[in-house]
Amino acid sequence: MTRLVTVDPDRPDPARLEAPAAALRAGRLVAFPTETVYGLGAHARDAQAVGALFAAKGRPATNPLIVHVPDGAALGGLVASVTPLAAALADRWWPGPLTLVLDAAPSVPAVTTGGLSTVAVRAPDHPVAEALLRQAGVPVAAPSANTSGRPSPTRAEHVHADLAAAVDWIVDGGACRVGVESTVVDARGEVPLVLREGAVTREDLGVTGQAAADAQAQRHSPGARFRHYAPACRVEIAPPGEGPARAGGLAAAGHRVGLVARAAPPAGVTEVGTFGDARDLAVGLYDALRRAERAELEVLVVEGVPEEGVGRAVMDRLRRAAQA
Ligand code: AMP
Ligand code: MG
């Protein structure tokens, strides 16, 4: 049976996190909020617990997990060596939405790394995640707490909708403030290679001009191969400013259409969300995908954002959601 505990997102009461923390230590599955999306946590060194996590999500065994730690001090125990680049990145960006891929320590089970010799690690910037990780006292492998292939969860009710039967605890700490997953970089070399776009931007990392090197590195990053973020309804991307016209056209042709755009929708189109900039769209995107599906829309038109800053991560997720 799934137990739910609601905590203050800014000042979680340690007493309320005691049972979920103990459950993590004991090899159970616990969903919790991070600044990016909700994670489904399992003791990263407990191969059986991680196996149960893959089963609960229906996640392909070759798609490796990100191991969550409370701070940079916990990194050393998980990796073979902390490169100077990794040390500098952790120092600058942790806690935060940046995941570092490094050579794994032999003690990290193969099931956690998807059979790779590398491991992905990050320290989330969320008081609830940090407190839970400290209280658990073990590294926690935590992919997004959704059924594999579905939009990632940014609210506790999204976790409940997908995974209620499979998790032991859901820690409800409100809505996530970033809304797209962490940036994943290979930090083994001299410069960070971007394996997945995220909330820490290329501009932040000073790596806007190395698309070819990143593309090469991404060939070895399993996550990019899997279908992701798809709701039950079709998703269409409209160019910036053209959302209402596109949605109006589809509605006129007899479709049940919803719109996520800067401006309000024309008559006959359901308003699913409005946003101001790419950061706004990031926060609300996955919730919008799930609401469109609950409203039984046929098509959701989402207006795109420029491919810069966090807009790159948003457009990456949007294109995957729109893949037929
Ligand atoms: P998720 O937990 O669903 O946000 O996915 C984590 C993603 O991080 C994976 O799908 C990979 O793309 C990436 N990742 C995790 N571990 C590694 C690794 N050892 N090497 C390369 N990429 C990784
Ligand atoms: Mg995921």
Side-chain angles (χ1 to χ4, degrees):
M1 203 192 72
T2 305
R3 278 163 291 181
L4 181 75
V5 60
T6 303
V7 295
D8 183 325
D10 300 314
R11 267 178 298 280
D13 177 358
R16 295 177 78 82
L17 293 175
E18 222 163 81
L24 280 170
R25 273 195 304 279
R28 319 294 302 193
L29 304 183
V30 176
F32 60 95
T34 77
E35 80 279 36
T36 59
V37 302
Y38 271 73
L40 178 61
H43 187 331
R45 294 193 195 281
D46 181 336
Q48 215 175 329
V50 175
L53 192 162
F54 274 94
K57 278 185 58 88
R59 182 173 173 108
T62 51
N63 192 1
L65 305 179
I66 296 171
V67 180
H68 290 64
V69 294
D71 54 43
L75 176 62
L78 292 164
V79 304
S81 79
V82 180
T83 59
L85 174 64
L89 289 172
D91 194 48
R92 169 68 182 84
W93 294 106
W94 285 7
L98 180 68
T99 294
L100 305 177
V101 171
L102 291 162
D103 287 320
S107 62
V108 180
V111 62
T112 299
T113 65
L116 300 175
S117 61
T118 51
V119 64
V121 188
R122 90 167 181 110
D125 184 16
H126 193 298
V128 174
E130 191 196 332
L132 181 67
L133 290 166
R134 281 195 202 287
Q135 281 180 246
V138 296
V140 173
S144 48
N146 55 320
T147 300
S148 205
R150 302 254 309 130
S152 296
T154 52
R155 297 167 180 269
E157 64 251 34
H158 300 161
V159 181
H160 200 267
D162 274 19
L163 295 175
V167 305
D168 294 283
W169 281 96
I170 298 175
V171 179
D172 185 348
C176 299
R177 87 183 145 74
V178 172
V180 290
E181 296 82 350
S182 62
T183 307
V184 180
V185 301
D186 183 335
R188 288 174 297 168
E190 308 263 298
V191 291
L193 298 171
V194 179
L195 303 179
R196 176 174 76 185
E197 310 278 351
V200 173
T201 66
R202 284 173 181 275
E203 289 83 351
D204 288 334
L205 296 170
V207 294
T208 48
Q210 57 173 37
D214 291 339
Q216 179 70 22
Q218 282 161 22
R219 265 180 233 142
H220 305 287
S221 183
R225 288 200 287 272
F226 300 102
R227 182 167 156 72
H228 269 309
Y229 318 115
C233 69
R234 188 153 62 84
V235 175
E236 276 195 25
I237 307 171
E242 292 176 29
R246 171 81 68 90
L250 286 161
H255 296 287
R256 287 170 56 81
V257 189
L259 178 66
V260 176
R262 291 165 186 77
V269 174
T270 304
E271 178 175 316
V272 177
T274 54
F275 62 90
D277 60 11
R279 267 187 202 280
D280 250 14
L281 180 56
V283 171
L285 178 61
Y286 293 137
D287 186 53
L289 295 178
R290 284 176 182 262
R291 278 187 292 120
E293 156 183 299
R294 282 203 301 276
E296 296 183 356
L297 297 173
E298 253 174 272
V299 193
L300 178 67
V301 175
V302 184
E303 216 172 73
V305 291
E307 301 257 357
E308 64 196 21
V310 76
R312 287 197 189 87
V314 173
M315 291 307 289
D316 167 65
R317 306 312 191 265
L318 206 42
R319 277 191 290 266
R320 287 167 191 274
Q323 240 167 51

PDB file of all heavy atoms in Angstrom, residues 49-72:
ATOM      1  N   ALA A  49      16.696  -3.529  -4.658  1.00  0.00           N
ATOM      2  CA  ALA A  49      15.844  -2.340  -4.611  1.00  0.00           C
ATOM      3  C   ALA A  49      15.823  -1.648  -5.978  1.00  0.00           C
ATOM      4  O   ALA A  49      14.767  -1.231  -6.469  1.00  0.00           O
ATOM      5  CB  ALA A  49      16.350  -1.376  -3.541  1.00  0.00           C
ATOM      6  N   VAL A  50      16.999  -1.546  -6.605  1.00  0.00           N
ATOM      7  CA  VAL A  50      17.071  -0.887  -7.913  1.00  0.00           C
ATOM      8  C   VAL A  50      16.333  -1.726  -8.961  1.00  0.00           C
ATOM      9  O   VAL A  50      15.650  -1.185  -9.840  1.00  0.00           O
ATOM     10  CB  VAL A  50      18.537  -0.618  -8.319  1.00  0.00           C
ATOM     11  CG1 VAL A  50      18.610  -0.048  -9.721  1.00  0.00           C
ATOM     12  CG2 VAL A  50      19.198   0.337  -7.317  1.00  0.00           C
ATOM     13  N   GLY A  51      16.415  -3.036  -8.835  1.00  0.00           N
ATOM     14  CA  GLY A  51      15.663  -3.921  -9.739  1.00  0.00           C
ATOM     15  C   GLY A  51      14.168  -3.673  -9.616  1.00  0.00           C
ATOM     16  O   GLY A  51      13.449  -3.594 -10.625  1.00  0.00           O
ATOM     17  N   ALA A  52      13.699  -3.501  -8.385  1.00  0.00           N
ATOM     18  CA  ALA A  52      12.269  -3.232  -8.158  1.00  0.00           C
ATOM     19  C   ALA A  52      11.872  -1.888  -8.764  1.00  0.00           C
ATOM     20  O   ALA A  52      10.771  -1.719  -9.284  1.00  0.00           O
ATOM     21  CB  ALA A  52      11.963  -3.252  -6.664  1.00  0.00           C
ATOM     22  N   LEU A  53      12.812  -0.915  -8.709  1.00  0.00           N
ATOM     23  CA  LEU A  53      12.549   0.405  -9.279  1.00  0.00           C
ATOM     24  C   LEU A  53      12.349   0.313 -10.807  1.00  0.00           C
ATOM     25  O   LEU A  53      11.401   0.876 -11.350  1.00  0.00           O
ATOM     26  CB  LEU A  53      13.727   1.327  -8.940  1.00  0.00           C
ATOM     27  CG  LEU A  53      13.589   2.826  -9.183  1.00  0.00           C
ATOM     28  CD1 LEU A  53      14.638   3.575  -8.394  1.00  0.00           C
ATOM     29  CD2 LEU A  53      13.693   3.171 -10.646  1.00  0.00           C
ATOM     30  N   PHE A  54      13.246  -0.413 -11.479  1.00  0.00           N
ATOM     31  CA  PHE A  54      13.095  -0.590 -12.936  1.00  0.00           C
ATOM     32  C   PHE A  54      11.752  -1.241 -13.262  1.00  0.00           C
ATOM     33  O   PHE A  54      11.058  -0.839 -14.200  1.00  0.00           O
ATOM     34  CB  PHE A  54      14.237  -1.454 -13.485  1.00  0.00           C
ATOM     35  CG  PHE A  54      15.484  -0.678 -13.831  1.00  0.00           C
ATOM     36  CD1 PHE A  54      16.518  -0.545 -12.925  1.00  0.00           C
ATOM     37  CD2 PHE A  54      15.618  -0.080 -15.079  1.00  0.00           C
ATOM     38  CE1 PHE A  54      17.674   0.165 -13.240  1.00  0.00           C
ATOM     39  CE2 PHE A  54      16.766   0.635 -15.405  1.00  0.00           C
ATOM     40  CZ  PHE A  54      17.793   0.763 -14.481  1.00  0.00           C
ATOM     41  N   ALA A  55      11.382  -2.241 -12.447  1.00  0.00           N
ATOM     42  CA  ALA A  55      10.119  -2.958 -12.697  1.00  0.00           C
ATOM     43  C   ALA A  55       8.925  -2.022 -12.500  1.00  0.00           C
ATOM     44  O   ALA A  55       7.991  -2.021 -13.302  1.00  0.00           O
ATOM     45  CB  ALA A  55      10.019  -4.162 -11.767  1.00  0.00           C
ATOM     46  N   ALA A  56       8.974  -1.201 -11.438  1.00  0.00           N
ATOM     47  CA  ALA A  56       7.848  -0.311 -11.142  1.00  0.00           C
ATOM     48  C   ALA A  56       7.612   0.683 -12.279  1.00  0.00           C
ATOM     49  O   ALA A  56       6.475   0.989 -12.633  1.00  0.00           O
ATOM     50  CB  ALA A  56       8.115   0.445  -9.837  1.00  0.00           C
ATOM     51  N   LYS A  57       8.697   1.187 -12.858  1.00  0.00           N
ATOM     52  CA  LYS A  57       8.573   2.174 -13.944  1.00  0.00           C
ATOM     53  C   LYS A  57       8.372   1.533 -15.309  1.00  0.00           C
ATOM     54  O   LYS A  57       8.002   2.215 -16.274  1.00  0.00           O
ATOM     55  CB  LYS A  57       9.862   3.028 -14.031  1.00  0.00           C
ATOM     56  CG  LYS A  57       9.935   4.174 -13.047  1.00  0.00           C
ATOM     57  CD  LYS A  57      11.177   5.004 -13.297  1.00  0.00           C
ATOM     58  CE  LYS A  57      11.292   5.581 -14.697  1.00  0.00           C
ATOM     59  NZ  LYS A  57      10.639   6.873 -14.872  1.00  0.00           N
ATOM     60  N   GLY A  58       8.680   0.236 -15.430  1.00  0.00           N
ATOM     61  CA  GLY A  58       8.698  -0.393 -16.744  1.00  0.00           C
ATOM     62  C   GLY A  58       9.835   0.184 -17.569  1.00  0.00           C
ATOM     63  O   GLY A  58       9.729   0.376 -18.776  1.00  0.00           O
ATOM     64  N   ARG A  59      10.961   0.492 -16.899  1.00  0.00           N
ATOM     65  CA  ARG A  59      12.079   1.168 -17.563  1.00  0.00           C
ATOM     66  C   ARG A  59      13.022   0.128 -18.160  1.00  0.00           C
ATOM     67  O   ARG A  59      13.366  -0.852 -17.495  1.00  0.00           O
ATOM     68  CB  ARG A  59      12.825   2.005 -16.521  1.00  0.00           C
ATOM     69  CG  ARG A  59      14.000   2.822 -17.044  1.00  0.00           C
ATOM     70  CD  ARG A  59      14.488   3.705 -15.904  1.00  0.00           C
ATOM     71  NE  ARG A  59      15.698   4.448 -16.165  1.00  0.00           N
ATOM     72  CZ  ARG A  59      15.745   5.767 -16.368  1.00  0.00           C
ATOM     73  NH1 ARG A  59      14.639   6.464 -16.392  1.00  0.00           N
ATOM     74  NH2 ARG A  59      16.900   6.387 -16.543  1.00  0.00           N
ATOM     75  N   PRO A  60      13.483   0.352 -19.409  1.00  0.00           N
ATOM     76  CA  PRO A  60      14.442  -0.580 -20.007  1.00  0.00           C
ATOM     77  C   PRO A  60      15.701  -0.686 -19.146  1.00  0.00           C
ATOM     78  O   PRO A  60      16.207   0.328 -18.659  1.00  0.00           O
ATOM     79  CB  PRO A  60      14.771   0.052 -21.361  1.00  0.00           C
ATOM     80  CG  PRO A  60      13.668   1.014 -21.643  1.00  0.00           C
ATOM     81  CD  PRO A  60      13.150   1.468 -20.307  1.00  0.00           C
ATOM     82  N   ALA A  61      16.197  -1.903 -18.955  1.00  0.00           N
ATOM     83  CA  ALA A  61      17.327  -2.152 -18.048  1.00  0.00           C
ATOM     84  C   ALA A  61      18.606  -1.456 -18.499  1.00  0.00           C
ATOM     85  O   ALA A  61      19.513  -1.240 -17.691  1.00  0.00           O
ATOM     86  CB  ALA A  61      17.569  -3.652 -17.929  1.00  0.00           C
ATOM     87  N   THR A  62      18.675  -1.076 -19.785  1.00  0.00           N
ATOM     88  CA  THR A  62      19.886  -0.429 -20.290  1.00  0.00           C
ATOM     89  C   THR A  62      19.845   1.097 -20.145  1.00  0.00           C
ATOM     90  O   THR A  62      20.769   1.778 -20.582  1.00  0.00           O
ATOM     91  CB  THR A  62      20.102  -0.760 -21.779  1.00  0.00           C
ATOM     92  OG1 THR A  62      18.875  -0.476 -22.460  1.00  0.00           O
ATOM     93  CG2 THR A  62      20.474  -2.221 -21.967  1.00  0.00           C
ATOM     94  N   ASN A  63      18.778   1.630 -19.544  1.00  0.00           N
ATOM     95  CA  ASN A  63      18.683   3.081 -19.338  1.00  0.00           C
ATOM     96  C   ASN A  63      19.136   3.396 -17.910  1.00  0.00           C
ATOM     97  O   ASN A  63      18.404   3.177 -16.961  1.00  0.00           O
ATOM     98  CB  ASN A  63      17.243   3.547 -19.580  1.00  0.00           C
ATOM     99  CG  ASN A  63      17.123   5.061 -19.673  1.00  0.00           C
ATOM    100  OD1 ASN A  63      18.130   5.779 -19.571  1.00  0.00           O
ATOM    101  ND2 ASN A  63      15.923   5.549 -19.864  1.00  0.00           N
ATOM    102  N   PRO A  64      20.370   3.915 -17.739  1.00  0.00           N
ATOM    103  CA  PRO A  64      20.955   4.045 -16.396  1.00  0.00           C
ATOM    104  C   PRO A  64      20.269   5.111 -15.550  1.00  0.00           C
ATOM    105  O   PRO A  64      19.600   5.996 -16.068  1.00  0.00           O
ATOM    106  CB  PRO A  64      22.403   4.450 -16.692  1.00  0.00           C
ATOM    107  CG  PRO A  64      22.358   5.087 -18.033  1.00  0.00           C
ATOM    108  CD  PRO A  64      21.254   4.426 -18.798  1.00  0.00           C
ATOM    109  N   LEU A  65      20.483   5.017 -14.245  1.00  0.00           N
ATOM    110  CA  LEU A  65      19.826   5.920 -13.286  1.00  0.00           C
ATOM    111  C   LEU A  65      20.790   6.994 -12.800  1.00  0.00           C
ATOM    112  O   LEU A  65      22.008   6.796 -12.808  1.00  0.00           O
ATOM    113  CB  LEU A  65      19.345   5.117 -12.088  1.00  0.00           C
ATOM    114  CG  LEU A  65      18.437   3.932 -12.407  1.00  0.00           C
ATOM    115  CD1 LEU A  65      18.055   3.208 -11.119  1.00  0.00           C
ATOM    116  CD2 LEU A  65      17.194   4.385 -13.156  1.00  0.00           C
ATOM    117  N   ILE A  66      20.231   8.106 -12.361  1.00  0.00           N
ATOM    118  CA  ILE A  66      21.039   9.134 -11.710  1.00  0.00           C
ATOM    119  C   ILE A  66      21.016   8.886 -10.200  1.00  0.00           C
ATOM    120  O   ILE A  66      19.947   8.728  -9.610  1.00  0.00           O
ATOM    121  CB  ILE A  66      20.496  10.537 -12.033  1.00  0.00           C
ATOM    122  CG1 ILE A  66      20.615  10.810 -13.551  1.00  0.00           C
ATOM    123  CG2 ILE A  66      21.238  11.609 -11.230  1.00  0.00           C
ATOM    124  CD1 ILE A  66      19.912  12.063 -14.030  1.00  0.00           C
ATOM    125  N   VAL A  67      22.201   8.832  -9.605  1.00  0.00           N
ATOM    126  CA  VAL A  67      22.307   8.624  -8.160  1.00  0.00           C
ATOM    127  C   VAL A  67      22.306   9.986  -7.475  1.00  0.00           C
ATOM    128  O   VAL A  67      23.084  10.879  -7.846  1.00  0.00           O
ATOM    129  CB  VAL A  67      23.585   7.841  -7.807  1.00  0.00           C
ATOM    130  CG1 VAL A  67      23.676   7.640  -6.296  1.00  0.00           C
ATOM    131  CG2 VAL A  67      23.596   6.489  -8.525  1.00  0.00           C
ATOM    132  N   HIS A  68      21.421  10.132  -6.476  1.00  0.00           N
ATOM    133  CA  HIS A  68      21.265  11.412  -5.782  1.00  0.00           C
ATOM    134  C   HIS A  68      21.971  11.387  -4.435  1.00  0.00           C
ATOM    135  O   HIS A  68      21.851  10.417  -3.684  1.00  0.00           O
ATOM    136  CB  HIS A  68      19.779  11.732  -5.602  1.00  0.00           C
ATOM    137  CG  HIS A  68      19.088  12.061  -6.900  1.00  0.00           C
ATOM    138  ND1 HIS A  68      18.942  11.140  -7.926  1.00  0.00           N
ATOM    139  CD2 HIS A  68      18.528  13.203  -7.356  1.00  0.00           C
ATOM    140  CE1 HIS A  68      18.314  11.715  -8.932  1.00  0.00           C
ATOM    141  NE2 HIS A  68      18.056  12.968  -8.621  1.00  0.00           N
ATOM    142  N   VAL A  69      22.706  12.462  -4.174  1.00  0.00           N
ATOM    143  CA  VAL A  69      23.454  12.603  -2.921  1.00  0.00           C
ATOM    144  C   VAL A  69      23.127  13.978  -2.330  1.00  0.00           C
ATOM    145  O   VAL A  69      22.714  14.880  -3.055  1.00  0.00           O
ATOM    146  CB  VAL A  69      24.978  12.478  -3.175  1.00  0.00           C
ATOM    147  CG1 VAL A  69      25.337  11.068  -3.636  1.00  0.00           C
ATOM    148  CG2 VAL A  69      25.464  13.518  -4.184  1.00  0.00           C
ATOM    149  N   PRO A  70      23.311  14.128  -0.996  1.00  0.00           N
ATOM    150  CA  PRO A  70      22.956  15.421  -0.389  1.00  0.00           C
ATOM    151  C   PRO A  70      23.923  16.546  -0.733  1.00  0.00           C
ATOM    152  O   PRO A  70      23.549  17.710  -0.734  1.00  0.00           O
ATOM    153  CB  PRO A  70      22.969  15.137   1.116  1.00  0.00           C
ATOM    154  CG  PRO A  70      23.705  13.871   1.295  1.00  0.00           C
ATOM    155  CD  PRO A  70      23.632  13.097   0.013  1.00  0.00           C
ATOM    156  N   ASP A  71      25.200  16.200  -1.034  1.00  0.00           N
ATOM    157  CA  ASP A  71      26.185  17.254  -1.321  1.00  0.00           C
ATOM    158  C   ASP A  71      27.422  16.649  -1.978  1.00  0.00           C
ATOM    159  O   ASP A  71      27.521  15.430  -2.144  1.00  0.00           O
ATOM    160  CB  ASP A  71      26.588  17.990  -0.034  1.00  0.00           C
ATOM    161  CG  ASP A  71      27.075  17.012   1.021  1.00  0.00           C
ATOM    162  OD1 ASP A  71      27.842  16.094   0.682  1.00  0.00           O
ATOM    163  OD2 ASP A  71      26.664  17.164   2.189  1.00  0.00           O
ATOM    164  N   GLY A  72      28.349  17.524  -2.345  1.00  0.00           N
ATOM    165  CA  GLY A  72      29.547  17.096  -3.059  1.00  0.00           C
ATOM    166  C   GLY A  72      30.418  16.123  -2.282  1.00  0.00           C
ATOM    167  O   GLY A  72      31.130  15.310  -2.874  1.00  0.00           O
TER     168      GLY A  72
END
